[in-house]
Amino acid sequence: MPTSLPTPSSPQLADPAKPAENHNAPASMNAADQTQPSAPWLSAEEVAAARIQFEREIRGWSTNRLSDEMNAAGYVMNPSAVWRIEKGTPRRRIHLEEAIGFAAVFGLPLEELYKLGGSGAYERAAELTDAVQTRRRAADEAAKLLDVAERQLTAYLNAHPEVGNPCAGQGA
């Protein structure tokens, strides 16, 4: 089950339209100067780590499988590194080459890796769902056409027994 990711409406993300409270700011700073994000704000690397875990989990992949996919794509990664990126304390840093690899393995543009499960993830899920449904419809249509062709072949062979079955021994 995918871990739920913070959304813009969740308390885990600060509202970028509002200045964040900065309790460490000097008393002389006015509210307009206090634009640094507060502690609940996630860094780009934390967002990428959450996104990597999200993408891995929606595919039903283990950390071993993600590691295998990264290695097959030419990006050296071991399962413990994936775990440390997702859950380590402190988290393992993600090198640029690795970020490129994760994006490639997940079929995402690199910048999507740094967006919280957000619209890009849902858009991608919708695209993949549409692709599956389109291919399922095509497979259903192909199955119907195959059934018609098999019935026609059977009828023809029954009407012309002298032909024999040219498909015998071919798994048909």
Side-chain angles (χ1 to χ4, degrees):
M1 186 81 173
T3 303
S4 101
L5 295 176
T7 62
S9 62
S10 74
Q12 295 166 330
L13 291 180
D15 182 352
K18 295 181 186 174
E21 290 183 35
N22 186 345
H23 298 291
N24 296 323
S28 63
M29 287 183 68
N30 66 34
D33 294 331
Q34 297 180 19
T35 57
Q36 292 298 316
S38 61
W41 191 261
L42 297 175
S43 72
E45 198 143 29
E46 290 169 319
V47 170
R51 184 63 186 269
I52 288 165
Q53 183 175 358
F54 173 80
E55 294 294 334
R56 179 181 61 77
E57 288 179 346
I58 63 171
R59 289 166 175 77
W61 292 356
S62 65
T63 55
N64 286 341
R65 170 75 186 273
L66 178 52
S67 169
D68 291 345
E69 295 289 333
M70 288 285 287
N71 290 316
Y75 301 93
V76 177
M77 178 70 49
N78 63 52
S80 67
V82 173
W83 185 90
R84 290 190 324 266
I85 287 168
E86 292 179 357
K87 298 180 178 126
T89 307
R91 289 186 193 270
R92 180 186 171 286
R93 303 284 320 236
I94 304 167
H95 301 284
L96 178 59
E97 295 81 18
E98 294 169 341
I100 292 167
F102 284 120
V105 164
F106 295 136
L108 300 171
L110 180 59
E111 63 272 11
E112 281 296 313
L113 195 60
Y114 291 90
K115 291 182 182 176
L116 260 184
S119 63
Y122 299 108
E123 289 169 5
R124 180 68 177 141
E127 288 171 12
L128 292 171
T129 300
D130 288 344
V132 167
Q133 290 173 343
T134 298
R135 288 178 177 96
R136 185 170 286 136
R137 283 190 295 273
D140 290 346
E141 184 61 30
K144 289 176 189 174
L145 293 172
L146 177 61
D147 186 51
V148 168
E150 286 175 339
R151 280 189 272 128
Q152 289 174 341
L153 175 61
T154 300
Y156 184 83
L157 292 175
N158 287 339
H160 300 88
E162 70 279 1
V163 174
N165 187 348
C167 296
Q170 296 181 12

